[in-house]
């Protein structure tokens, strides 16, 4: 096992990894920008090193600075958290050259899943159901129009280098296609330096269901069920739950098995998430994320596993601590994301926290790096905390969420907490009856969202 792990991240996820290290008797090294000198992850880690100025490009994304920090502190492994360098294949191969272990998948797996055409082709060949559409990339308007005829409109043109909603264009009819195709290509070229696009049948009212998988890198893999992350605003998730209100045990076992088998066959190592659109009882693969996700705690809550601990174990060559038949769901969990943003327009709201009180009690987990007097810097993501509740069933989880939101105090800045108070008044939230479009529609009518 490693003696010391460097955490190449900040905020709540850095604390999450430091906590796992401490429970495992592993030393932790925080890295930070000059803007984060007073951040909680710096205080909580065993050691801390300043790696650069406020701009993430020159600090949390600086590969030379992070490798130097490993060499100075003697850290043998790096946990990347999410975002920043977590899905950067180049970074992973550079670490290999330096004899530093990356706590995550191989550079090759990151590369495969980072290119959405290759990812889809790989998953299709592994028996994972995919959205009907073009066979690989589409190079010309004529080919795009042919795909439109084959699959029927509407279709969606997606950048292979995109993902997470970046670089997509809808074509509702053949008349739309040329513009959608050319715009998608031009935007992809500008945003990613890669203009390759592919085309899919557009699904009109799906849910976003993602399957948590975990591999040991040696041909064994399990699934930990699904999360329903349909409640999103501008491709940012705001409310996530597990299990999914629309998924029954048989359906879960079936898609879970397909996903676990697929990642086992490629010797995938560590945590991964296979994203699907789910409509009319069918799953359609869209993307795979090769990292620990923000919303991983809802899965941890219902399965009673520590995903970060397991990531560290398999990275050190140890086996996973569970088999598929030991993984049973206990109850229901919900996560809401607290952002330093002002409603109704979700404008960034950095500033100094004059008072912070985290909710507690049975079935409540607050993952946050806030503290009284902390100044939220304006340079990074606006996520300031995740409130995760767990109950014996969905109804109890919702009651607990309502109760915990009542205990939460974050003064000095604006947060998205009031959004959740309002959502909990909605019948559709109580019944679990929502698709990927529910939240945006609700915001239009309820928050005069811009
Ligand atoms: C789609 C789709 C409908 N049909 N693909 C957006 C993010 C990216 N991961 C995939 N996305 C979508 N792909 C087909 N063939 C609708 C979306 C989509 C979406 C997906 C998940 C969660 C929220 C969303 C919001 C708008 C569009």
């Amino acid at each position: 096992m490693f003696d010391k792990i460097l955490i190449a991240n900040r905020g709540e996820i850095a604390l999450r990894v430091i906590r796992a290290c401490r429970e495992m008797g592993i030393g932790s090294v925080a890295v930070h920008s000059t803007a984060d000198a007073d951040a909680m992850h710096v205080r909580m880690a065993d050691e801390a090193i300043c790696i650069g100025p406020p701009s993430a490009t020159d600090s949390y994304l600086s590969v030379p600075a992070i490798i130097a920090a490993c060499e100075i502190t003697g850290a043998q492994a790096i946990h990347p958290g999410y975002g920043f360098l977590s899905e950067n294949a180049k970074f992973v191969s550079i670490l290999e050259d330096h004899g530093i272990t990356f706590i995550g998948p191989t550079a090759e797996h990151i590369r495969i899943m980072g290119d959405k055409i290759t990812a889809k082709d790989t998953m299709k060949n592994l028996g994972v159901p995919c959205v009907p559409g073009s066979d690989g990339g589409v190079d010309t308007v004529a080919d795009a129009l042919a795909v439109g005829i084959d699959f029927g409109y509407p279709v969606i043109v997606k950048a292979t280098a995109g993902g997470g909603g970046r670089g997509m264009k809808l074509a509702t009819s053949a008349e739309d296609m040329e513009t959608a195709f050319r715009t998608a290509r031009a935007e992809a070229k500008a945003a990613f330096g890669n203009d390759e696009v592919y085309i899919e049948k557009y699904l009109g009212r799906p849910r976003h269901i993602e399957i948590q998988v975990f591999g040991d890198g040696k041909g064994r893999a399990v699934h930990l069920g699904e999360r329903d992350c349909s409640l999103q605003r501008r491709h940012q998730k705001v409310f996530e739950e597990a299990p999914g209100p629309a998924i029954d045990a048989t359906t879960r076992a079936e898609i879970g098995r397909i996903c676990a088998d697929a990642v086992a066959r490629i010797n995938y190592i560590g945590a991964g998430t296979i994203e699907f659109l789910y409509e009319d009882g069918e799953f359609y693969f869209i993307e795979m994320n090769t990292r620990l996700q923000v919303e991983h705690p809802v899965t941890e809550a219902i399965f009673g596993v520590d995903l970060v601990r397991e990531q560290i174990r398999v990275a050190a060559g140890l086996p996973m601590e569970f088999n598929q038949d030991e993984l049973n769901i206990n109850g229901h969990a919900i996560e809401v994301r607290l952002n330093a943003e002002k409603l109704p327009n979700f404008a960034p709201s950095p500033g100094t926290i004059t008072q912070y009180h985290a909710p507690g009690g049975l079935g409540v987990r607050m993952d946050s790096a806030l503290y009284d007097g902390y100044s939220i810097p304006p340079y990074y993501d606006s996520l300031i905390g995740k409130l995760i509740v767990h109950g014996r069933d969905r109804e109890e989880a919702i009651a607990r969420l309502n109760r915990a939101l009542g205990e939460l105090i974050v003064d000095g800045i604006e947060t998205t907490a009031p959004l959740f108070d309002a959502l909990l008044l909605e019948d559709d939230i109580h019944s679990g009856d929502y698709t990927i479009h529910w939240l945006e529609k609700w915001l239009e009518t309820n928050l005069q969202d811009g």
Side-chain angles (χ1 to χ4, degrees):
M1 183 42 71
F2 312 113
D3 301 311
K4 204 186 267 191
I5 291 173
L6 181 144
I7 300 103
N9 215 304
R10 63 186 302 281
E12 66 83 22
I13 196 61
L15 304 194
R16 172 71 190 85
V17 179
I18 293 166
R19 286 172 171 144
C21 288
R22 198 146 290 153
E23 289 180 17
M24 297 172 82
I26 300 168
S28 55
V29 179
V31 294
H32 66 91
S33 68
T34 52
D36 274 344
D38 295 326
M40 187 59 121
H41 74 288
V42 173
R43 300 183 179 195
M44 202 186 271
D46 295 322
E47 295 171 70
I49 288 204
C50 182
I51 52 165
S55 162
T57 317
D58 301 318
S59 52
Y60 298 103
L61 290 168
S62 169
V63 175
I66 288 165
I67 289 174
C70 278
E71 282 167 358
I72 290 164
T73 57
Q76 300 133 328
I78 294 182
H79 195 300
Y82 49 70
F84 294 129
L85 294 167
S86 61
E87 292 178 286
N88 186 317
K90 189 82 190 291
F91 175 58
V92 177
S93 30
I94 294 170
L95 291 186
E96 273 169 35
D97 297 340
H98 284 76
I100 300 166
T101 303
F102 179 74
I103 300 172
T106 61
E108 184 59 12
H109 285 149
I110 294 175
R111 209 169 275 124
I112 289 169
M113 299 308 166
D115 182 281
K116 305 307 166 191
I117 292 175
T118 315
K120 195 173 173 183
D121 186 56
T122 303
M123 286 299 174
K124 195 175 168 191
N125 288 328
L126 288 166
V128 176
C130 295
V131 189
S134 64
D135 188 15
V138 178
D139 297 326
T140 64
V141 175
D143 289 347
L145 287 164
V147 174
I149 289 170
D150 282 357
F151 296 95
Y153 290 91
V155 298
I156 187 163
V157 186
K158 297 183 174 183
T160 193
R166 299 171 311 157
M168 307 191 320
K169 284 282 168 286
L170 187 67
T172 51
S173 66
E175 289 68 51
D176 269 13
M177 185 57 110
E178 178 160 0
T179 305
F181 178 77
R182 292 195 194 282
T183 313
R185 281 193 86 130
E187 289 186 7
K189 182 81 191 171
F192 317 115
N194 175 353
D195 67 357
E196 192 168 23
V197 298
Y198 61 110
I199 299 176
E200 290 181 342
K201 175 91 188 150
Y202 178 76
L203 302 174
R205 41 174 189 81
R207 288 173 180 262
H208 172 117
I209 303 288
E210 54 183 38
I211 308 291
Q212 178 71 56
V213 292
F214 201 97
D216 69 353
K218 301 167 186 170
R220 275 190 59 231
V222 297
H223 74 86
L224 294 97
E226 77 285 356
R227 296 181 286 260
D228 190 325
C229 306
S230 300
L231 294 173
Q232 310 200 2
R233 175 185 177 267
R234 300 190 181 170
H235 304 297
Q236 296 290 321
K237 296 167 186 162
V238 309
F239 176 114
E240 303 109 334
E241 61 180 312
I247 309 298
D248 65 29
T250 311
T251 308
R252 172 176 313 114
E254 221 174 81
I255 192 68
R257 173 83 192 281
I258 290 170
C259 290
D261 285 352
V263 297
R265 266 177 50 204
I266 60 172
N267 294 322
Y268 187 81
I269 185 164
T273 298
I274 306 186
E275 293 186 348
F276 293 92
L277 298 177
Y278 180 74
E279 188 174 272
D280 297 332
E282 302 287 336
F283 286 93
Y284 303 94
F285 170 80
I286 45 173
E287 291 169 23
M288 176 168 180
N289 300 320
T290 54
R291 61 168 190 276
L292 183 74
Q293 301 219 166
V294 175
E295 60 273 23
H296 76 276
V298 293
T299 300
E300 293 189 322
I302 63 167
F303 283 95
V305 303
D306 179 338
L307 286 170
V308 177
R309 174 189 176 89
E310 296 300 324
Q311 285 186 297
I312 295 169
R313 283 179 60 90
V314 297
L318 295 173
M320 293 185 271
E321 286 180 302
F322 40 72
N323 300 113
Q324 190 68 61
D325 59 17
E326 296 165 323
L327 290 169
N328 295 303
I329 294 179
N330 172 18
H332 198 99
I334 299 173
E335 171 180 288
V336 297
R337 296 191 189 191
L338 295 173
N339 288 345
E341 290 170 352
K342 186 172 159 55
L343 300 173
N345 294 319
F346 298 83
S349 173
T352 300
I353 304 295
T354 54
Q355 198 188 148
Y356 172 60
H357 178 79
L362 182 60
V364 175
R365 167 178 174 182
M366 182 78 192
D367 277 18
S368 172
L370 293 186
Y371 59 85
D372 284 323
Y374 174 60
S375 287
I376 298 163
Y379 309 102
Y380 314 106
D381 195 278
S382 66
L383 183 79
I384 53 165
K386 309 186 304 203
L387 171 56
I388 305 106
V389 294
H390 183 210
R392 286 171 300 176
D393 53 26
R394 193 168 184 276
E395 201 179 314
E396 189 171 74
I398 288 175
R400 223 157 244 166
L401 176 58
N402 200 20
R403 185 270 290 171
L405 284 165
E407 292 179 17
L408 174 72
I409 300 173
V410 181
D411 284 345
I413 60 157
E414 298 287 335
T415 80
T416 50
L419 169 65
F420 303 110
D421 297 329
L423 286 178
L424 287 178
L425 300 173
E426 293 294 326
D427 289 345
D428 289 345
I429 298 299
H430 281 264
S431 63
D433 183 14
Y434 54 78
T435 71
I436 61 170
H437 303 296
W438 190 94
L439 183 61
E440 304 255 17
K441 282 205 189 96
W442 182 87
L443 288 168
E444 264 172 42
T445 44
N446 293 272
L447 279 182
Q448 44 156 21
D449 170 54

